[in-house]
Amino acid sequence: MTTVITDTLRVPGATLHYEVRGTGPLLLISQSGEGDAGRSTDLVDRLADDHTVVTYDRRGLSRSTPDDPARGVTIAEHAEDVRHLLATLTDEPVLMLGCSLGALIGLHVAVRHPGRIGTLVAHEPVAPFLLPAAERARHERELADVQRIYRRDGLEAALRAVAEVLGIDPADPAAEPGLTPQPMTPRRIADFAFFIEHDVAAVIGDTLPVSALRDTTTRVVPAVGRTTPPGVFDRHCAEELAALLGTGIAEFPGGHNGNTSHPRAYASRLREILRAPASVPGGGSNGGSGDTAPSPAGRRGAAQHRRP
């Protein structure tokens, strides 16, 4: 069994909990929704043989406590938390898998802190700013509706609304067998509350300049789930990101939550992408070709964490 090293890090306005497993190039996983450091445990277990995998509780979730929980958080603050965490672990550019909200955080880091991330796999980023104005407004209203439903009808109704907006099949009959249970514990319920009240508000209010993404030195790999419906918001964000960068889209097993529903196949696909030779269609600085995504930029050295 892979040894898990846990630690905390003091950042401006909060204390972060993070976990480190495995050996090899450093791979940071930023989770979706209410996901804390343990949300992708089945995926992490399959990546730790050849990567130093770092997961963390996003500010406001589980063991990462903000100084003022009622104040909320911005996506820029989440990105600063990632910057501080990476600075604690290594001086080298790292690999990053960002899922949904985690992908949006990764895009902020790529723009605001050039050189921290060598390759970002951005799986279905919840990034309305990528969309045309009318569509952006419509999807921001959908997200605001999720908040209203939560306040009026409770968590169960809100989760149904989230599943509809993001094209998630909660039952997912194609999910791999033997998954680690993810029960609806009191802590997870509290994490959902913070996510819906504060993180959804942060997504709606996000203003990352779209043009800045074209100039980032990070190789960004837009990604989608194979079973994510074609018309939903998150898939369209990935498509718009690919169009902006002039690159293809990497397809992963499963849907929006393929990292948790298909961890074996997802790990295999992610490893394939990270090891693939660089391919830059159209002369741009980012990209991959069709279903084949690029590797880290020459890996730029194996990142090793500095402290347990």
Side-chain angles (χ1 to χ4, degrees):
M1 181 175 291
T2 305
T3 301
V4 181
I5 299 170
T6 65
D7 208 343
T8 59
L9 176 66
R10 181 66 191 167
V11 297
T15 299
L16 302 181
H17 168 93
Y18 68 95
E19 302 178 0
V20 182
R21 298 169 174 80
T23 58
L26 197 151
L27 169 63
L28 174 70
I29 299 180
S30 188
Q31 316 279 358
S32 60
E34 91 301 354
D36 62 13
R39 186 72 175 99
S40 293
T41 183
D42 294 325
L43 175 66
V44 171
D45 286 346
R46 286 159 178 82
L47 294 169
D49 286 345
D50 52 2
H51 291 84
T52 300
V53 185
V54 179
T55 59
Y56 70 107
D57 295 351
R58 200 168 61 244
R59 180 188 295 228
L61 302 186
S62 297
R63 296 146 293 192
S64 286
T65 53
D67 295 347
D68 180 6
R71 190 183 70 83
V73 63
T74 66
I75 303 300
E77 287 172 324
H78 280 315
E80 283 298 302
D81 290 346
V82 167
R83 179 179 72 87
H84 287 296
L85 177 56
L86 293 178
T88 298
L89 299 171
T90 182
D91 292 326
E92 299 293 328
V94 307
L95 311 173
M96 181 173 177
L97 167 65
C99 298
S100 190
L101 179 59
L104 176 56
I105 294 169
L107 293 176
H108 271 256
V109 178
V111 166
R112 297 174 185 276
H113 305 291
R116 294 309 302 154
I117 304 173
T119 294
L120 167 66
V121 178
H123 186 112
E124 299 186 8
V126 286
F129 68 83
L130 290 168
L131 303 173
E135 187 178 0
R136 171 178 182 169
R138 176 163 62 88
H139 289 304
E140 287 176 344
R141 287 194 298 271
E142 287 181 336
L143 293 172
D145 284 342
V146 169
Q147 293 180 306
R148 284 190 286 270
I149 291 169
Y150 173 71
R151 294 163 189 159
R152 184 188 65 210
D153 302 324
L155 180 57
E156 185 174 348
L159 292 181
R160 288 195 297 269
V162 169
E164 182 176 354
V165 168
L166 298 179
I168 298 170
D169 179 0
D172 199 353
E176 294 175 351
L179 301 178
T180 299
Q182 298 283 347
M184 193 62 75
T185 61
R187 186 168 80 180
R188 193 174 177 206
I189 291 171
D191 287 350
F192 267 119
F194 190 93
F195 164 65
I196 293 172
E197 288 288 1
H198 298 301
D199 285 330
V200 169
V203 170
I204 294 171
D206 191 36
T207 57
L208 184 70
V210 174
S211 59
L213 285 167
R214 296 191 188 96
D215 300 324
T216 177
T217 57
T218 296
R219 177 174 284 113
V220 179
V221 182
V224 297
R226 188 170 297 133
T227 61
T228 300
V232 296
F233 153 58
D234 41 316
R235 186 181 186 105
H236 197 189
C237 287
E239 292 166 348
E240 290 292 325
L241 178 61
L244 176 71
L245 300 177
T247 184
I249 300 177
E251 189 176 84
F252 275 78
H256 187 70
N257 291 330
N259 57 311
T260 56
S261 65
H262 295 69
R264 299 172 184 84
Y266 199 102
S268 177
R269 179 67 174 128
L270 180 61
R271 188 176 281 110
E272 175 185 298
I273 287 171
L274 296 178
R275 288 178 173 172
S279 175
V280 187
S285 61
N286 287 285
S289 178
D291 193 42
T292 303
S295 69
R299 288 200 185 263
R300 309 218 284 241
Q304 298 294 329
H305 66 278
R306 290 178 179 166
R307 70 182 225 187

